[in-house]
Amino acid sequence: MRDQHQMRDRIDSFPTHTVAGYGVRAGRTMPFGATRVSGGVNFSVFSGAAGGVSVVLYAQGSREPMAEIPIPDEFRIGAVWAITVFGLEHEEIEYGYRVRERGDAGPGDRCDQSRIISDPYAKVISGRNVWGVEPDWSDPYQFRSRPAFDDVAWEGDRPLRLPPEDLVIYETHLRGFTRDPGSQVANPGTYAGMIEKIPYLKSLGVNCVELLPVFEFDEFENSKLNPATGERLFNYWGYSTVAFFAPKAGYAATGAFGMQCDEFRHLVKELHRAGIEIMLDVVFNHTAEGNENGPTISFRGLDNDTYYMLTPDGYYFNFSGTGNTFNGNHPVTRDFVVSCLRYWASEYHIDGFRFDLASILDRDQHGAPLANPPLLESLANDPVLRDCKLVAEAWDAGGLYQVGSFPDYHHWGEWNGRYRDVIRRFLKGDSGLVGELATRIAGSPDLYATRGTRASINFITCHDGFTLADLVAFNNKHNEANGEDNNDGSNDNGSWNCGYEGPTEDREIQRLRHQQMKNAMVLLLTSRGIPMVLAGDEVGRTQNGNNNAYCHDSALSWFDWSLVEHNAELFRFTQGMIELRRAHPVLRSGGHPEAFDRVGCGHHEVSWHGRQAWEPDWSPDGRFLGVMWCGFGPDGVGPDYLYVAANSRWEGHDLELPELPSGLHWNVAADTARPSPEDIVPAGQRVPLPQNSYAIGPRSTLVLVGTGSPNTT
Amino acid sequence: MNVKKSVVDSVAVVTLTGDLNAHSADTVQFDVASVMPAHTEVLLDLSEVAHLTSAVLRTLLLLYRQGQCLDSAVALVGLSAELRNVLSATGFLDFFRVADSVPDGIELLTREAERKERVDA
């Protein structure tokens, strides 16, 4: 009796033609890319500019092709060339396309039949299999497409679907997180290496990692030697995608064996098993092909005019600042982007995506901003992406700044650059910011009134700019090591060095810097919205004042694991603040606070205070803000009271605290002016304040929690 | 690629030698699966295997699944440091019991079989 799991032979699993010595038949148009089928491999590629397309096959690792199979024109459907080639062992081949231009090529067409083109839908890329290993530059086909196994043992894994407002996001570079020898992982700088550090992430309390680009890119792009030190500088951050469907092989311990897909999925499974979501930083605003002087890798050689925004005479618009601009709102390109994200969401169980320079995706094919951009609408309403977090870096290098106005379709969130700016300025002691500070702490209702607080990704630091430790240690950037005469990186950092530029032995300055870092964590983790922490900020990671370390694959940008012990105090404080946020849902409500009593506590959900209770100081000289939250507790029962105060003045104040109902008392949960371990107090160790006042220290923040049993008589 | 089979203390020991790749994966799967109905303990000796490919990883996992269906336990022995690292990094190692030597593997599977008999009894 036939095994019930055994498929019958298909009637299309036999060749109908012989081309270049291979049995072939007309291929399946969908899906695009190379797909394993019964007896062979199906190849499908779009090219509206082609007069003819050939599949070029290589034995894995061979420099020269082993076969070139022209796709008969009769196999073409519309502008899609598809062929099934039989007798291929898909694990042992590499492939590409040779595209012959149509006779009526326009100024925007750049097909070049002397080149082999990589498949934009390739699931695996060979060519940079081990990070930093110098390739054979004489090989004309550098980034070789390979088919991938699409069978996965998920063991019941599913995207976690954590409520966005409950996330604490941790932004990290995949390689940099474990590359330092101090990580003591078996496979430093890899997907497998990150798995070994999941216990650390759990201990810290974050529940979402956001990875800098992991789609295949060329670390040797624009690589050079530092003229001062001679060290190799790389395209380390990876914001220059070669292949959008392929995980970077050089980030895999098994990349040399082509197993990066399995290894990456293993990382996803283990993160999910630990209750941690995974978001990917995706770069659809441009590609690694650069402008007309850049390499032809895939898109340019297939259909330049479709995939890129071009001027009338065929040159590249450059709204990304990198040479080209991906033509996201062209129907074909839009389909590519949607397909790509569907692939990662469904085949890799990715929980969300952060879009680099996302405002480019709001431009039409000529670069003009769109009121109703089809791509953003499609992504927001896509059925496969429905549960994915979509986060926009809502600006671009062409002058668009859309924080608060990015077309959201009730799905998109944004990196809230306004939050970052006001927190930084407040911390450094600028005056006149109390009003805006309150707005940002409340979840930026001025920007996201229709979307709720989940639209606001609150951050103070990220990969762009200073680390938190450097934000409080440097007034100015120090990017000399980048080899660009310190001309790169932002000059507007909102930083303050606490009295001395850079490293110092002055104990008071060191103390103040630590206190300022804790202040940042308090504000970030008690604000409504979704907090994002830059990896290493919880232990005071420094880049020596470099605010644009994009090219450093070195200790300058790696996570320094010795800091976990060296700055254990800061780690413990951050850990405690994350735990406090988790324990008090009133801090992470998905809605903006409203002026009514939600829980019958006698107070509005949020109230603002100055040094005197109920009298906030909105004056131009104000540097103090108190906020009292009153909402439901973790078990859904209220009221839960929190009081958060921030004093950026160089003097302390005596505070009159808002009075709690009889039977309740304020308890100190965190006070950054106190030395460790009193700076953060776990829930079971808090002591009620004897009176309704408190002395807040200079340049410090304070969190009080109301506890006790209200008297009902 | 060669497949050598023997039986020690009711444990089927299958030794693989030569290149283990996509071409040989089907042979391996068939040969190993053929011993399963008769033997509830199967020890795969990979000590003479230098490299694994994605196809072979999947073959090993398929054998594990077939073993589950047939109530056969599959263990691995003879993993080089590189093989172990590949299996571990890709998550495939989690599916298998691993022993350091053939005698250890036989003892491991035998003990598990005895434990299972006690549970079933």
Side-chain angles (χ1 to χ4, degrees):
Chain A
M1 185 161 130
R2 181 184 284 274
D3 184 332
Q4 65 179 343
H5 297 297
Q6 186 178 1
M7 280 183 64
R8 297 177 184 279
D9 282 340
R10 294 168 56 98
I11 58 174
D12 60 356
S13 61
F14 306 95
T16 57
H17 299 63
T18 300
V19 178
Y22 283 84
V24 303
R25 67 181 296 128
R28 302 292 297 275
T29 305
M30 302 304 294
F32 291 139
T35 310
R36 193 181 182 196
V37 296
S38 178
V41 180
N42 187 83
F43 300 92
S44 176
V45 64
F46 156 76
S47 174
V53 177
S54 300
V55 177
V56 183
L57 297 174
Y58 299 78
Q60 187 192 339
S62 297
R63 182 188 171 91
E64 299 301 322
M66 68 182 189
E68 183 160 338
I69 305 172
I71 301 176
D73 190 68
E74 67 193 86
F75 291 3
R76 176 177 56 84
I77 303 289
V80 180
W81 304 78
I83 186 169
T84 300
V85 181
F86 293 92
L88 296 180
E89 181 46 63
H90 88 294
E91 192 176 39
E92 297 178 346
I93 62 166
E94 299 163 348
Y95 73 96
Y97 298 108
R98 191 187 302 278
V99 181
R100 189 181 77 252
E101 201 163 41
R102 281 203 324 260
D104 58 348
D109 290 325
R110 292 181 185 266
C111 297
D112 181 353
Q113 67 180 35
S114 71
R115 297 180 183 276
I116 308 301
I117 303 301
S118 191
D119 183 359
Y121 282 80
K123 309 299 192 300
V124 174
I125 292 291
S126 183
R128 297 291 185 270
N129 298 353
V130 179
W131 174 279
V133 172
E134 189 125 5
D136 175 5
W137 295 112
S138 70
D139 185 347
Y141 186 32
Q142 289 281 317
F143 303 101
R144 298 182 170 209
S145 307
R146 295 187 62 194
F149 283 97
D150 60 4
D151 52 344
V152 184
W154 277 115
E155 301 175 85
D157 180 81
R158 283 288 180 268
L160 295 182
R161 303 192 192 101
L162 297 179
E165 58 268 25
D166 291 345
L167 294 181
V168 178
I169 300 173
Y170 189 77
E171 190 204 31
T172 185
H173 188 279
L174 190 285
R175 174 176 169 83
F177 189 55
T178 62
R179 177 58 187 86
D180 190 281
S183 70
Q184 298 187 311
V185 301
N187 297 288
T190 68
Y191 306 121
M194 175 165 248
I195 293 174
E196 289 191 60
K197 288 302 186 185
I198 288 176
Y200 173 82
L201 297 172
K202 286 284 290 179
S203 169
L204 178 59
V206 299
N207 56 8
C208 178
V209 294
E210 180 173 315
L211 299 181
L212 264 64
V214 296
F215 295 173
E216 190 64 70
F217 66 89
D218 183 10
E219 64 267 34
F220 285 96
E221 181 182 327
N222 294 325
S223 179
K224 56 182 185 274
L225 297 181
N226 184 323
T229 66
E231 69 171 317
R232 166 75 67 180
L233 301 177
F234 290 95
N235 170 18
Y236 173 68
W237 280 355
Y239 285 94
S240 189
T241 310
V242 163
F244 288 86
F245 284 74
K248 181 152 181 63
Y251 281 168
T254 58
F257 310 110
M259 298 182 189
Q260 55 268 28
C261 301
D262 288 318
E263 187 175 327
F264 186 80
R265 288 187 175 105
H266 186 210
L267 170 62
V268 175
K269 274 199 287 185
E270 292 302 313
L271 284 170
H272 284 173
R273 211 191 300 266
I276 299 173
E277 290 196 348
I278 176 168
M279 288 180 60
L280 302 184
D281 194 342
V282 295
V283 191
F284 290 107
N285 60 80
H286 73 283
T287 78
E289 290 186 307
N291 64 14
E292 53 275 359
N293 299 316
T296 296
I297 299 174
S298 62
F299 301 101
R300 170 177 298 143
L302 283 167
D303 202 312
N304 191 51
D305 199 23
T306 291
Y307 287 115
Y308 294 110
M309 293 184 194
L310 302 179
T311 65
D313 46 2
Y315 293 99
Y316 294 86
F317 280 117
N318 187 17
F319 298 108
S320 66
T322 64
N324 66 50
T325 311
F326 210 48
N327 197 7
N329 283 294
H330 185 288
V332 170
T333 315
R334 180 170 82 234
D335 184 62
F336 173 84
V337 175
V338 173
S339 298
C340 178
L341 296 176
R342 283 180 172 179
Y343 176 74
W344 286 95
S346 58
E347 300 298 321
Y348 282 91
H349 291 187
I350 300 302
D351 301 280
F353 304 94
R354 175 266 188 190
F355 293 74
D356 184 64
L357 296 185
S359 288
I360 281 178
L361 308 181
D362 186 21
R363 295 180 181 269
D364 71 10
Q365 298 174 50
H366 308 291
L370 288 163
N372 194 20
L375 173 58
L376 300 182
E377 182 188 34
S378 295
L379 292 172
N381 291 285
D382 188 80
V384 177
L385 303 177
R386 187 193 68 178
D387 296 335
C388 284
K389 283 77 175 174
L390 302 179
V391 175
E393 182 190 35
W395 53 82
D396 68 15
L400 277 182
Y401 185 83
Q402 297 178 304
V403 173
S405 60
F406 190 79
D408 67 273
Y409 303 100
H410 304 289
H411 191 155
W412 287 87
E414 300 172 14
W415 268 22
N416 190 341
R418 300 272 299 270
Y419 181 95
R420 172 200 60 206
D421 295 343
V422 76
I423 298 294
R424 288 187 178 195
R425 291 173 57 207
F426 180 83
L427 285 174
K428 68 194 276 284
D430 288 1
S431 61
L433 297 173
V434 177
E436 187 179 356
L437 178 65
T439 303
R440 301 294 155 241
I441 286 173
S444 299
D446 59 328
L447 303 177
Y448 308 120
T450 61
R451 293 184 255 176
T453 64
R454 55 176 59 186
S456 180
I457 309 300
N458 297 334
F459 68 105
I460 301 172
T461 56
C462 69
H463 66 277
D464 275 327
F466 283 135
T467 66
L468 187 59
D470 290 352
L471 194 70
V472 300
F474 294 91
N475 284 352
N476 303 303
K477 65 183 181 183
H478 297 272
N479 298 348
E480 291 82 1
N482 295 358
E484 299 181 47
D485 296 324
N486 205 30
N487 290 317
D488 62 304
S490 174
N491 293 313
D492 182 19
N493 297 289
S495 61
W496 176 52
N497 63 18
C498 297
Y500 187 84
E501 185 75 355
T504 178
E505 297 299 320
D506 188 310
R507 301 297 285 268
E508 175 53 25
I509 292 178
Q510 292 175 354
R511 185 203 65 76
L512 178 57
R513 288 175 178 174
H514 271 246
Q515 184 165 311
Q516 287 284 73
M517 287 191 277
K518 292 176 188 175
N519 291 337
M521 289 298 182
V522 168
L523 289 173
L524 180 65
L525 291 163
T526 58
S527 295
R528 286 223 177 149
I530 302 172
M532 184 179 81
V533 175
L534 174 64
D537 278 357
E538 74 277 15
V539 293
R541 185 177 74 88
T542 177
Q543 292 180 166
N544 298 333
N546 190 319
N547 75 352
N548 190 32
Y550 69 96
C551 53
H552 291 280
D553 179 30
S554 68
L556 182 72
S557 56
W558 296 340
F559 190 111
D560 179 355
W561 289 92
S562 71
L563 294 175
V564 176
E565 184 179 334
H566 185 73
N567 286 331
E569 168 191 332
L570 184 58
F571 176 87
R572 179 179 162 273
F573 186 86
T574 306
Q575 182 185 51
M577 283 305 306
I578 293 174
E579 173 55 33
L580 185 143
R581 182 179 180 84
R582 187 184 6 262
H584 296 279
V586 70
L587 294 176
R588 43 186 175 81
S589 168
H592 295 108
E594 294 172 301
F596 69 83
D597 181 353
R598 282 186 180 275
V599 297
C601 64
H603 299 302
H604 291 165
E605 186 180 11
V606 70
S607 54
W608 306 103
H609 306 271
R611 298 182 222 176
Q612 302 299 314
W614 308 104
E615 296 179 20
D617 177 8
W618 307 120
S619 71
D621 193 46
R623 290 182 174 84
F624 176 86
L625 178 67
V627 52
M628 181 169 76
W629 296 98
C630 182
F632 290 106
D635 49 4
V637 178
D640 183 29
Y641 297 90
L642 265 88
Y643 176 84
V644 181
N647 176 29
S648 68
R649 192 176 287 276
W650 44 93
E651 302 160 329
H653 305 300
D654 290 323
L655 303 180
E656 178 198 36
L657 302 173
E659 201 162 315
L660 291 169
S662 176
L664 296 176
H665 303 274
W666 290 115
N667 299 248
V668 176
D671 182 352
T672 61
R674 291 182 175 183
S676 178
E678 287 84 29
D679 55 348
I680 185 118
V681 184
Q685 299 173 24
R686 295 170 191 156
V687 177
L689 291 176
Q691 63 273 339
N692 217 43
S693 62
Y694 195 83
I696 189 169
R699 300 190 192 274
S700 66
T701 51
L702 171 71
V703 182
L704 306 178
V705 175
T707 61
S709 299
N711 292 333
T712 54
T713 57
Chain B
M1 213 287 303
N2 291 317
V3 179
K4 193 170 63 177
K5 290 179 266 191
S6 61
V7 177
V8 179
D9 294 341
S10 80
V11 174
V13 180
V14 181
T15 304
L16 309 178
T17 58
D19 285 336
L20 205 52
N21 53 33
H23 288 298
S24 50
D26 288 343
T27 305
V28 167
Q29 185 178 349
F30 178 80
D31 276 358
V32 176
S34 68
V35 308
M36 281 186 187
H39 297 277
T40 54
E41 288 78 43
V42 178
L43 185 64
L44 274 179
D45 182 357
L46 304 179
S47 57
E48 294 181 49
V49 172
H51 301 293
L52 288 177
T53 67
S54 289
V56 174
L57 285 182
R58 281 158 170 76
T59 298
L60 293 178
L61 186 54
L62 282 170
L63 286 170
Y64 167 77
R65 295 273 186 244
Q66 283 178 287
Q68 277 188 314
C69 292
L70 296 170
D71 219 15
S72 289
V74 178
L76 305 180
V77 68
L79 296 180
S80 66
E82 183 181 90
L83 282 188
R84 183 183 287 265
N85 193 39
V86 167
L87 284 165
S88 173
T90 55
F92 283 81
L93 192 65
D94 297 340
F95 294 102
F96 297 97
R97 301 165 193 80
V98 178
D100 293 329
S101 66
V102 171
D104 285 350
I106 292 169
E107 186 185 335
L108 171 72
L109 287 168
T110 305
R111 266 194 278 114
E112 288 208 6
E114 290 168 356
R115 191 181 313 127
K116 187 173 178 305
E117 273 181 27
R118 287 198 297 274
V119 168
D120 290 344

